[in-house]
Amino acid sequence: MSYLEYNAKATPSGFRKILYLNWPLTLLLASVAGVGFLMLYSVAGGSFSPWAEPQFKRFLLGMGVMLVVGMVPIWFWRNISVLAYLISVALLLAVEFFGTVGMGAQRWIDIGFMRLQPSELMKITSVMLLAAYYDWLPPERSSRPIWVLLPLLMILFPTLLVLRQPDLGTSILLMAAGGGVMFLAGVHWAYFAAVIGAAVGLVSAVFQSRGTDWQLLKDYQYRRIDTFLDPSQDPLGAGYHITQSKIALGSGGWSGRGYMQGTQSRLNFLPEKHTDFIFTTLAEEFGFIGGLTLLSLYMLIIVFCVATALAAKDRFSSLVSLGVAITFFLFFAVNMSMVMGLAPVVGVPLPLVSYGGSAMLVLLAAFGLVQSANVHRPR
Amino acid sequence: MKRTPKDLEGAHRKLSRRALLLGGLQLGFAGGLAARMRYLQVDQADQFRLLAEENRINIRLLAPARGEVFDRNGKTLAHNSPSYRIIIVPEDAGDVEAVIARLSKLIHLPAEDIERARTEMRRSPPFLPITLADQLTWEDISKVAVNAPALPGITPEVGLTRIYPQQSDFAHVVGYVGPVSDYDLSKLDSPDPVLRIPRFQIGKVGFEAKREDVLRGTAGAKRVEVNATGRVMRELDRKEGQAGADMQLAVDAGLQNYAQARLGAESAAVVVVDCDTGDLRAIASAPSFDPNLFVRGISVADYSLLTEDPYRPLANKTVQGTYPPGSTFKMVVSLAALEEGLIGPEDTVWCPGYLEVSGRRFHCWKRAGHGHVDLNTSLKQSCDVYYYDLAIKVGIDKISAMANRMGLGVRHDLPMSAVASGLAPDRDWKARVRGQDWLVGDTVNASIGQGFMLASPMQLAVMTARLATGRSVTPRLVKSIDGVEQPSGAGTSMGLNENNLRMIRRGMYSVSNDRRGTGYRSRIIAEGMRMGGKSGTSQVRNITAAERAAGVIRNKDLPWERRDHALYVCFAPFDKPKYAISVIVEHGGGGSTAAAPIARDVMLQALYDGTPPLSAYPKGDRSRIKAQQERLERERIKSDHPQDSDRA
């Protein structure tokens, strides 16, 4: 469906667009971010600096970006998908060659006024490209091998670049989100069955190759897997993160120790307490009720994205909204599994709550796409 | 590209179906997360809460202050002094090697200390503090504190360390402490948790080790809240420990100091027993060493210097060394004979210079013989033949029994390291230990304190005190614990015939005061201070047939380690014995020449409680004694001004 098929008159225009924003979604995003400010204030020991205040500023900027993106017609975003994707890939390559090494991985590129993490951008542009691709592709061709191979390459190329950084968490997110969009677009079941089979094979290859010359992962990645499988074997070394995170979480109980009363985070037992492990502080201070509330807020965001997608009249709007939802879901699902000891520590932040600029900006821009789909739906 | 609405309709339905399916899966996964959260936070909450408390609250033991040790006049022999040390937390330091390099530019860090710290770091988790340097001066600590920003992970700490202000004077009595070693811990079934405090000092040798039980005290504890790096955030509560008991020894530091200096470079020992109380007024063993070296951790070079010295500075010769008592044993033999009623004071023995016993000829030290010898002469001139004859009459079992009553061959319970029991042999002993029959030749040897006979200088001093008082004087090292006076060692009457004892004492008086006595040259002439004594010279080698044929070899022609031991025992004042003294000079030659002057000098020092007047000495000796007094005054360790014990 091309933009010519849109009935421009049937879509809101001008300032009236603001009325057609998905306001419940906007409020949900703001409340989740609000939880983030509360927690960042708490882990800093009751202080706006160094985390809560910059995070709030970035959130305001992000909301602005979201509104701007939401006001721009959805077909514009569809039409620039290829360009956005190519720019992201170019940036990833730039990181490969000119990037700054931070935290043992090459992830950042310094573009003067801020440090950009192209892998974050990649998460959303790859979803956009896939949505645009399936919008363009006649549905009956979507399961033909040649037309399956093409999106697969679109996903795998950036994934490999990200994996080289190395950033296992983001690569998993990229693949899973891409796969999700392909599944939604109607690609045949059999392909997914094959991929899952291959993944099982790969996992066993990863373990088989350990210690040989051609081992597939870095040693630290193997160690993370080991300690995930049995954190108790090295409680003070590599298993420290998982053990301490479970202790903090578990000591929260039903209703938690109370705001700013968490002992584990305040006494620095929790590593990365303001970034990847911020959920443990929330769980320690607000208990099971607090954790469940945040989880429900997240799920409501998913629900509103899916509702927008189902109501949309064109494939791009549907697929991009669902793709954003899947990406968002993967963020918090992987992060929470990690801190609850259900998944290895892979370095995925808790979306909108963890301290971090790139991720928040990119996520809010992505929700801008959902907003745009909502606003520009023919009525 | 034109699509039919039907196609689109179908694709849209498929998309909605799959979207709902995926949404359902997501909901399911979220449900799983919620269940997991519930399991951790509700079902297992108690367990994790406990773990969190353990994380947060740390119990730190507070090392108790070790009991201090004083001499009988309150002079400090061992005390605790603040010592500054530097702790490193490897995790906080980051680049440990760089920090150590920076630190060693500021203060002197011995390579050994750094190496030991590195080993400890490899063994323990990175957040545990490790001692990098110990016994630092205040200046060093200030330098470190000022440069703290450049030294992450480095903290100065203050602890207590043991100081021995009397240095080598009391090394053998008080001993020394050192940090608990793995070996120490392995010897204990359930070690006191206080021993796990890093660098906690426990007694290693001597009194410090033997009375560890009272000196150590009990640990206190504080509960602190710590952060993940182990840094203390705040103290929650604190229970002070119980300091160790202060101990007062019976030793007189001034006399000990004099005795130690008087022995000088000889390999020798002197013991002064208070006849009234059994107090060990001085118990000196030379050469000695500085126990402070061991507290810090002695260097390999210094240690091998001590262990390779043929004069054995590490051995406490007063209680640990046993020697054939030689002629000092003759009082015991004569007393045994007197108590048996076998001899009277007028009975004499003919000494031709030897005695033939079962075909073997036993010589008197005086080859020409002493002629007719009675008891008094036998002691005065130390005639051997008289005792050969006497011992055969009395029999070894009676002699041995008398020796035991005099405190020889029995272990005196003193809180010092390796207190030897010596040996007063009898038939039973030889049959049991050697599996041989007792021979009459053995009795002959024992009669002059040779053969199997062994006694420590402390035992000989006790023997002398018992002869002088007739009471079972027992040695006492500890005068009081935490102000509580310990039982006296005065003892009770041994039930010996006072006349017999008087005869023995008369003989000893002659030794020291009769012109022909062996100890005459080392007499005291001050009235009311005269002493009774007995010299001894004990052989450390067997005289070979060839040597016997060649005649007597003079001692000074022999290599040092084969020369005779010189012994002297004495008590004074003769009329009212106050002190009993024994002296041994290892390989010193004759007892009357090498040991008696030392015994006399120490006795006078004890009697006058300080430097005696020259009038107490025989006239001819006074100028020499004066020179000696002046020399010793210079050489004596000035314990009132202990050396600066800080690391230079």
Side-chain angles (χ1 to χ4, degrees):
Chain A
M1 198 154 77
S2 78
Y3 68 95
L4 291 172
E5 291 164 52
Y6 280 101
N7 182 348
K9 283 208 177 101
T11 62
S13 63
F15 288 108
R16 287 189 63 233
K17 284 183 180 180
I18 292 174
L19 296 174
Y20 289 88
L21 281 174
N22 194 336
W23 282 106
L25 180 64
T26 314
L27 285 177
L28 281 169
L29 292 172
S31 10
V32 169
V35 171
F37 308 144
L38 275 179
M39 293 333 296
L40 289 173
Y41 182 80
S42 171
V43 292
S47 163
F48 287 109
S49 66
W51 299 308
E53 194 189 332
Q55 180 84 344
F56 183 67
K57 286 180 180 161
R58 288 196 196 115
F59 174 70
L60 288 184
L61 180 67
M63 283 307 253
V65 171
M66 183 180 84
L67 290 180
V68 170
V69 172
M71 295 294 116
V72 176
I74 189 73
W75 52 84
F76 172 81
W77 298 117
R78 184 195 60 189
N79 291 350
I80 68 153
S81 297
V82 178
L83 185 64
Y85 178 84
L86 289 177
I87 290 173
S88 307
V89 168
L91 286 173
L92 267 183
L93 286 167
V95 165
E96 176 79 27
F97 295 111
F98 313 111
T100 315
V101 175
M103 304 285 285
Q106 204 174 28
R107 292 175 187 177
W108 305 94
I109 184 161
D110 207 327
I111 52 166
F113 67 96
M114 70 175 286
R115 293 202 296 175
L116 186 76
Q117 214 173 342
S119 58
E120 293 292 337
L121 201 57
M122 197 70 236
K123 285 172 197 158
I124 195 63
T125 53
S126 65
V127 166
M128 282 168 72
L129 181 71
L130 285 169
Y133 171 79
Y134 283 109
D135 183 55
W136 165 81
L137 190 73
E140 65 274 14
R141 292 194 196 162
S142 59
S143 288
R144 293 191 191 157
I146 182 74
W147 301 109
V148 170
L149 192 64
L150 209 58
L152 218 51
L153 289 176
M154 293 174 198
I155 297 167
L156 286 180
F157 182 60
T159 303
L160 287 174
L161 284 179
V162 170
L163 200 55
R164 271 184 62 85
Q165 285 182 350
D167 183 352
L168 188 63
T170 304
S171 4
I172 290 170
L173 245 58
L174 278 175
M175 284 207 293
V181 175
M182 287 174 73
F183 175 74
L184 291 165
V187 176
H188 200 274
W189 288 102
Y191 289 103
F192 295 96
V195 166
I196 288 166
V200 171
L202 184 69
V203 167
S204 46
V206 159
F207 280 100
Q208 289 296 316
S209 71
R210 183 172 192 179
T212 63
D213 292 340
W214 48 280
Q215 79 178 27
L216 294 170
L217 297 182
K218 297 218 168 183
D219 281 338
Y220 82 92
Q221 290 168 322
Y222 279 113
R223 278 199 300 278
R224 280 184 177 181
I225 296 172
D226 281 348
T227 52
F228 161 65
L229 295 175
D230 183 11
S232 60
Q233 65 175 247
D234 185 11
L236 295 173
Y240 186 78
H241 285 56
I242 293 173
T243 312
Q244 292 299 336
S245 141
K246 274 162 78 177
I247 288 176
L249 204 79
S251 64
W254 263 109
S255 54
R257 290 177 187 269
Y259 186 51
M260 310 255 296
Q261 300 299 311
T263 57
Q264 302 300 292
S265 51
R266 190 141 301 107
L267 297 172
N268 277 323
F269 286 104
L270 288 173
E272 320 243 345
K273 58 185 183 212
H274 61 294
T275 58
D276 292 0
F277 283 83
I278 196 164
F279 184 70
T280 52
T281 308
L282 173 95
E284 192 190 2
E285 297 190 353
F286 294 108
F288 176 61
I289 295 170
L292 198 63
T293 306
L294 183 68
L295 186 62
S296 310
L297 288 175
Y298 278 142
M299 285 315 290
L300 280 174
I301 290 175
I302 301 290
V303 167
F304 278 98
C305 287
V306 172
T308 302
L310 292 180
K313 296 287 193 297
D314 65 301
R315 273 170 81 76
F316 181 77
S317 294
S318 297
L319 286 172
V320 97
S321 300
L322 288 170
V324 169
I326 291 171
T327 306
F328 188 70
F329 174 81
L330 286 168
F331 261 110
F332 72 77
V334 170
N335 180 279
M336 285 186 176
S337 307
M338 180 172 97
V339 299
M340 289 184 214
L342 292 171
V345 177
V346 285
V348 173
L350 193 62
L352 303 180
V353 176
S354 285
Y355 180 78
S358 292
M360 176 169 259
L361 278 176
V362 169
L363 266 174
L364 286 175
F367 282 109
L369 293 173
V370 180
Q371 298 282 19
S372 175
N374 200 49
V375 170
H376 300 97
R377 186 178 75 222
R379 287 163 218 265
Chain B
M1 202 178 300
K2 203 71 185 159
R3 290 174 211 163
T4 64
K6 193 171 166 256
D7 277 351
L8 281 175
E9 198 68 15
H12 197 77
R13 269 214 306 280
K14 191 173 190 179
L15 189 147
S16 302
R17 216 162 51 228
R18 288 197 171 186
L20 287 172
L21 179 71
L22 214 54
L25 280 176
Q26 289 175 0
L27 263 178
F29 194 90
L33 285 179
R36 171 75 175 175
M37 217 187 309
R38 206 195 107 91
Y39 169 74
L40 289 177
Q41 295 198 274
V42 180
D43 298 347
Q44 292 203 315
D46 292 343
Q47 187 201 333
F48 281 116
R49 215 170 251 266
L50 194 72
L51 285 173
E53 290 299 298
E54 278 176 13
N55 247 351
R56 181 172 77 92
I57 293 167
N58 213 320
I59 292 174
R60 297 275 165 100
L61 287 173
L62 296 168
R66 197 173 173 81
E68 307 202 326
V69 184
F70 303 95
D71 90 327
R72 65 181 301 115
N73 300 316
K75 200 172 224 180
T76 307
L77 306 183
H79 68 104
N80 308 308
S81 138
S83 97
Y84 303 98
R85 54 172 181 253
I86 285 180
I87 308 288
I88 183 167
V89 179
E91 193 175 68
D92 293 355
D95 187 350
V96 173
E97 288 306 317
V99 171
I100 290 179
R102 249 172 279 153
L103 187 65
S104 50
K105 276 190 204 128
L106 280 178
I107 60 170
H108 172 68
L109 282 180
E112 279 181 51
D113 286 9
I114 297 181
E115 204 36 61
R116 195 191 45 236
R118 283 201 188 107
T119 321
E120 273 182 57
M121 274 183 236
R122 276 193 290 275
R123 281 196 311 210
S124 59
F127 55 85
L128 277 193
I130 279 162
T131 306
L132 196 56
D134 217 343
Q135 313 268 349
L136 296 172
T137 60
W138 175 246
E139 288 94 280
D140 283 345
I141 285 292
S142 324
K143 275 190 219 163
V144 172
V146 168
N147 290 285
L151 300 165
I154 296 275
T155 356
E157 263 195 20
V158 59
L160 288 176
T161 194
R162 201 70 159 164
I163 302 280
Y164 300 104
Q166 311 294 326
Q167 299 175 28
S168 55
D169 279 356
F170 280 86
H172 292 118
V173 184
V174 178
Y176 52 83
V177 297
V180 182
S181 67
D182 292 345
Y183 174 72
D184 293 331
L185 288 174
S186 71
K187 283 192 298 186
L188 299 167
D189 287 338
S190 52
D192 187 339
V194 74
L195 299 183
R196 308 270 182 200
I197 296 177
R199 299 295 172 96
F200 187 75
Q201 295 177 331
I202 61 164
K204 296 280 187 176
V205 162
F207 183 70
E208 291 269 29
K210 289 289 167 181
R211 294 319 300 270
E212 178 69 23
D213 51 343
V214 278
L215 284 169
R216 185 190 295 164
T218 49
K222 58 176 177 182
R223 291 198 315 143
V224 291
E225 187 177 81
V226 296
N227 71 2
T229 56
R231 188 182 295 272
V232 175
M233 305 306 279
R234 67 195 164 108
E235 194 174 298
L236 299 171
D237 55 20
R238 162 192 283 259
K239 188 176 126 270
E240 290 297 342
Q242 177 81 45
D246 287 345
M247 308 280 256
Q248 189 171 29
L249 299 191
V251 184
D252 178 339
L255 187 61
Q256 174 84 0
N257 179 226
Y258 176 81
Q260 204 71 52
R262 180 65 183 86
L263 295 177
E266 297 278 10
S267 177
V270 53
V271 179
V272 181
V273 172
D274 187 320
C275 294
D276 294 335
T277 58
D279 281 359
L280 292 164
R281 291 293 189 114
I283 180 157
S285 171
S288 190
F289 59 94
D290 185 356
N292 293 302
L293 289 178
F294 284 84
V295 178
R296 284 169 203 167
I298 193 166
S299 72
V300 175
D302 283 349
Y303 189 66
S304 52
L305 218 61
L306 289 175
T307 50
E308 283 161 17
D309 190 330
Y311 283 27
R312 307 193 320 286
L314 292 177
N316 180 4
K317 289 160 192 145
T318 56
V319 294
Q320 195 178 335
T322 55
Y323 309 88
S327 301
T328 58
F329 188 58
K330 285 175 179 169
M331 281 85 80
V332 174
V333 180
S334 22
L335 189 59
L338 286 168
E339 287 289 308
E340 288 299 311
L342 292 175
I343 50 162
E346 313 303 330
D347 296 341
T348 60
V349 168
W350 171 255
C351 169
Y354 62 88
L355 182 70
E356 200 94 36
V357 179
S358 52
R360 199 180 143 196
R361 185 172 281 201
F362 288 87
H363 285 277
C364 186
W365 67 271
K366 191 175 179 185
R367 289 301 171 109
H370 289 91
H372 285 288
V373 180
D374 63 4
L375 175 62
N376 197 281
T377 314
S378 77
L379 284 170
K380 177 170 71 187
Q381 302 194 2
S382 203
C383 173
D384 291 341
V385 169
Y386 182 88
Y387 287 94
Y388 298 156
D389 181 68
L390 203 56
I392 293 167
K393 282 185 199 149
V394 181
I396 188 63
D397 288 344
K398 298 255 166 54
I399 294 175
S400 175
M402 181 55 74
N404 288 161
R405 289 179 79 183
M406 288 295 138
L408 304 180
V410 292
R411 194 173 174 281
H412 296 292
D413 191 26
L414 283 175
M416 297 175 86
S417 287
V419 176
S421 51
L423 182 62
D426 56 12
R427 287 171 202 281
D428 196 42
W429 171 83
K430 196 178 179 192
R432 205 174 59 241
V433 176
R434 293 284 175 103
Q436 289 166 353
D437 284 338
W438 186 267
L439 304 174
V440 70
D442 295 331
T443 308
V444 172
N445 274 329
S447 72
I448 56 161
Q450 295 282 160
F452 301 120
M453 268 304 301
L454 287 172
S456 69
M458 187 268 294
Q459 286 175 321
L460 291 176
V462 169
M463 173 194 81
T464 312
R466 289 183 181 183
L467 286 170
T469 60
R471 280 181 284 112
S472 56
V473 176
T474 47
R476 178 173 85 151
L477 182 63
V478 182
K479 192 168 183 301
S480 65
I481 299 176
D482 254 348
V484 179
E485 185 81 13
Q486 298 300 294
S488 154
T492 51
S493 168
M494 296 205 293
L496 294 165
N497 186 323
E498 189 56 32
N499 281 329
N500 293 344
L501 281 170
R502 209 169 288 144
M503 275 185 264
I504 303 286
R505 291 179 204 142
R506 260 330 298 171
M508 291 176 75
Y509 183 83
S510 304
V511 168
S512 183
N513 296 288
D514 191 300
R515 194 170 291 277
R516 296 174 68 188
T518 55
Y520 180 69
R521 282 160 52 88
S522 301
R523 66 195 180 280
I524 293 172
I525 65 159
E527 272 321 312
M529 297 233 176
R530 289 185 180 265
M531 63 180 190
K534 181 74 194 82
S535 63
T537 304
S538 70
Q539 287 173 359
V540 293
R541 67 205 162 94
N542 290 318
I543 298 171
T544 61
E547 278 171 354
R548 195 168 290 134
V552 176
I553 302 174
R554 289 195 309 170
N555 237 300
K556 61 182 183 183
D557 298 333
L558 285 168
W560 178 78
E561 71 276 7
R562 296 183 62 203
R563 290 182 202 161
D564 297 340
H565 293 317
L567 297 99
Y568 199 77
V569 298
C570 58
F571 63 91
F574 181 77
D575 300 323
K576 194 178 179 303
K578 175 65 181 159
Y579 299 114
I581 290 181
S582 78
V583 171
I584 179 159
V585 180
E586 284 190 347
H587 311 293
S592 53
T593 51
I598 297 176
R600 188 260 318 266
D601 291 350
V602 173
M603 181 62 88
L604 277 172
Q605 192 79 18
L607 288 171
Y608 282 97
D609 194 15
T611 310
L614 287 172
S615 59
Y617 288 92
K619 275 206 175 71
D621 287 351
R622 288 181 188 162
S623 58
R624 189 179 52 77
I625 294 292
K626 188 165 191 297
Q628 175 186 295
Q629 282 179 352
E630 282 164 3
R631 178 176 58 81
L632 287 178
E633 198 54 45
R634 282 196 304 277
E635 285 173 9
R636 280 169 77 172
I637 294 170
K638 293 293 177 286
S639 50
D640 294 334
H641 306 287
Q643 271 179 12
D644 186 11
S645 54
D646 291 329
R647 206 180 268 190

